[in-house]
Amino acid sequence: MKTFIKIAAASAIALSAAAAPALAKSTALDTTTYWEENAQEVQPGVYKLMYDADAKAMRSDDDFAAMWGEASAEDQEAFKAACSEWEQDEALFSDSVSARCKMAVAP
């Protein structure tokens, strides 16, 4: 019985460790760290829509909406493509990022 408990405990620890990267990935797109570390790899228009480099912070929803209205067609298409890529990669992003992607594809 003790062996079974040890195996069950080891399995639970292994499963929780495997879930940790998924949890970290789920909020990566709405963190300052993500955007600072990936600035060179993100299309500039997408970066500008999501992150305010001067304030070193994610844009607020209102700021994003204003920026979206003023964004070029090229930047809007790049953002839509990024959203598609995030979804294909099964990036489980926050409600805020998800709402922005939904706004980008809305008619």
Side-chain angles (χ1 to χ4, degrees):
M1 184 68 160
K2 286 183 181 181
T3 303
F4 176 75
I5 292 171
K6 287 180 184 177
I7 292 171
S11 296
I13 291 169
L15 287 173
S16 66
L23 181 60
K25 183 178 182 181
S26 71
T27 58
L29 296 173
D30 64 353
T31 64
T32 298
T33 303
Y34 172 84
W35 294 99
E36 288 177 349
E37 291 177 356
N38 295 287
Q40 299 300 318
E41 297 178 28
V42 177
Q43 195 272 356
V46 173
Y47 181 83
K48 186 172 74 173
L49 282 164
M50 291 295 289
Y51 186 72
D52 182 347
D54 293 332
K56 295 188 181 227
M58 293 290 301
R59 292 197 182 278
S60 68
D61 290 342
D62 290 340
D63 194 18
F64 174 83
M67 296 280 300
W68 180 257
E70 297 173 3
S72 69
E74 179 182 273
D75 288 345
Q76 288 183 351
E77 287 303 314
F79 187 82
K80 291 175 188 179
C83 286
S84 293
E85 184 177 315
W86 295 331
E87 289 178 282
Q88 287 175 352
D89 291 342
E90 297 179 2
L92 302 174
F93 39 80
S94 71
D95 290 343
S96 177
V97 175
S98 180
R100 291 173 186 190
C101 286
K102 287 177 185 172
M103 182 178 137
V105 297

